[in-house]
Amino acid sequence: MSGEHVDAKLMAILLEFSETAGGRPSLKEFLELFKWSSEAIYSAPLEFEATLVDGTAYSGAAESRVFDMSDSVFTDVTDFLAGLSGEDGGSPVSPNDLANILLEFVNSEAANLVDVSAGGISRLSVTGAGSVARPEVGDILAIPGDGAWYAVIVVARNRFGVAFGIFGEKFSSLDAVHPDRSSACKFPVYSDDVEVVNGSWHVVGRDADLLSAFPAEPEIYHSPSLAFPGFDFGEFGAAESPSGAVRLIDGTEARAVGISTGSYRQAFTGEFLQQSLDDLVKRWRQTGL
C-alpha cells in the first residue's frame, strides 16, 4: 500500500469517526480505534503510548466516544490493518512500523485532532503484546470448514504473497489433521496469513518432506484475453513465475486452474480462501490434477 493510499485510508477512518461522533477525535480516541481493531490481526490488542514534543507523556481526556462507534468503523480499521502487508509475503506490518505510520499521520495538518496540534507528538510506541505469529515455509495449517478441517502447507513467500499447498482430504477433528502426500492438489494458491495471526487457522505441525508435492516457486496465471504490452498469453492463457518468467499453458491446465471457466483467482484473502476450499478441491478432483 503506497504512502498516499495509506493517508487516504486513515483520513477516511478519521472522517467516519467524526461523522458518527459529531466531531473530530482526540489522539486518545483515534489510537483506541486501532487498539480495539488490532486484535483481529495481531496476537493481542496493541497498546499505544505517545510522547509530546515537550517530553511529557500524553494521556488524553478520560471520556471516550470510541465505544459509541458502529461496527463498520472497527471493520474499516481492521481492513486497513490487514492491507498493510510486508513486501515479502502479505503478513501484517510489525507493531513498531504501524506506530510510525500512525505517528506521521497524526502529526500532519490533515489529521487536525482536537487535542494535539500538527507536529505535536515526538514519539509513538507500542507496548504490551502484539507480536505477529508468521507461519514458515513447511508449516502445516488446519483450516476449519463445514464441521471438518482441511490441511494446507506453506510452500513459499514471495512477491505474489504466501503460497499455500492444499491437501484434498478432510479431517474430522483438529487433532486428526495429518495430510498425506498422495492427497496434494497440484496447484498452490496465493493468499495471506492473517487468519493464522488472528487464530482462525492453526499451525498443527511441520513437514518439509511434503513440500516436494508442490512447485517450489508457484506460478500465477493470466487469461488469454488479458492485453499487456510485450506479452503474448496464447490461446489458453499463460503462467508467470515469481521471477517474472512467462510460459504458455494448454487447455487441460487452463481448465484445471479455472482460467477457461473464469473461476480462477490470482490471490485470495484468507477468509475467502477458507470459503473456497470445497470448490477448489472439487474442481481439481474433476480434472484429475
Side-chain angles (χ1 to χ4, degrees), residues 215-238:
E217 293 296 330
E219 298 163 309
I220 61 171
Y221 289 83
H222 301 291
S223 167
S225 62
L226 181 65
F228 195 80
F231 288 91
D232 174 15
F233 295 128
E235 179 182 358
F236 300 105

Side-chain angles (χ1 to χ4, degrees), residues 101-253:
I101 290 169
L102 296 180
L103 175 62
E104 183 175 354
F105 178 75
V106 298
N107 265 336
S108 69
E109 292 185 0
N112 192 25
L113 300 175
V114 298
D115 59 347
V116 292
S117 58
I121 306 160
S122 64
R123 184 170 180 267
L124 185 64
S125 59
V126 176
T127 63
S131 59
V132 180
R134 299 176 60 185
E136 301 297 331
V137 172
D139 283 350
I140 300 169
L141 312 179
I143 301 179
D146 295 330
W149 297 82
Y150 272 111
V152 305
I153 188 170
V154 181
V155 175
R157 288 180 177 273
N158 54 48
R159 68 187 179 97
F160 295 147
V162 186
F164 293 107
I166 299 171
F167 297 91
E169 58 199 305
K170 280 188 174 181
F171 301 91
S172 59
S173 69
L174 185 60
D175 292 337
V177 178
H178 297 290
D180 184 86
R181 189 181 189 282
S182 63
S183 68
C185 299
K186 182 176 180 179
F187 303 103
V189 297
Y190 280 100
S191 185
D192 55 56
D193 52 18
V194 170
E195 300 301 310
V196 184
V197 174
N198 69 24
S200 297
W201 300 355
H202 301 269
V203 179
V204 295
R206 181 177 178 80
D207 190 344
D209 290 340
L210 290 174
L211 292 173
S212 63
F214 306 97
E217 293 296 330
E219 298 163 309
I220 61 171
Y221 289 83
H222 301 291
S223 167
S225 62
L226 181 65
F228 195 80
F231 288 91
D232 174 15
F233 295 128
E235 179 182 358
F236 300 105
E240 180 183 355
S241 72
S243 67
V246 175
R247 66 176 178 85
L248 301 184
I249 64 174
D250 60 20
T252 300
E253 189 170 353

Side-chain angles (χ1 to χ4, degrees), residues 7-111:
D7 288 345
K9 289 284 190 180
L10 289 172
M11 181 56 68
I13 290 168
L14 187 149
L15 292 177
E16 187 177 6
F17 179 99
S18 302
E19 291 173 0
T20 304
R24 293 237 168 183
S26 65
L27 174 62
K28 176 182 177 180
E29 290 171 327
F30 189 69
L31 294 177
E32 282 183 343
L33 288 177
F34 287 85
K35 172 184 176 179
W36 297 118
S37 301
S38 63
E39 189 172 12
I41 303 298
Y42 297 89
S43 59
L46 302 181
E47 297 275 358
F48 295 93
E49 288 186 352
T51 303
L52 303 178
V53 290
D54 63 5
T56 60
Y58 169 85
S59 57
E63 298 82 11
S64 174
R65 296 166 289 177
V66 166
F67 292 104
D68 295 330
M69 294 294 105
S70 65
D71 290 344
S72 66
V73 179
F74 296 100
T75 299
D76 288 345
V77 178
T78 300
D79 289 345
F80 169 79
L81 293 173
L84 286 177
S85 59
E87 295 180 356
D88 60 345
S91 294
V93 297
S94 72
N96 286 337
D97 286 345
L98 173 61
N100 290 333
I101 290 169
L102 296 180
L103 175 62
E104 183 175 354
F105 178 75
V106 298
N107 265 336
S108 69
E109 292 185 0

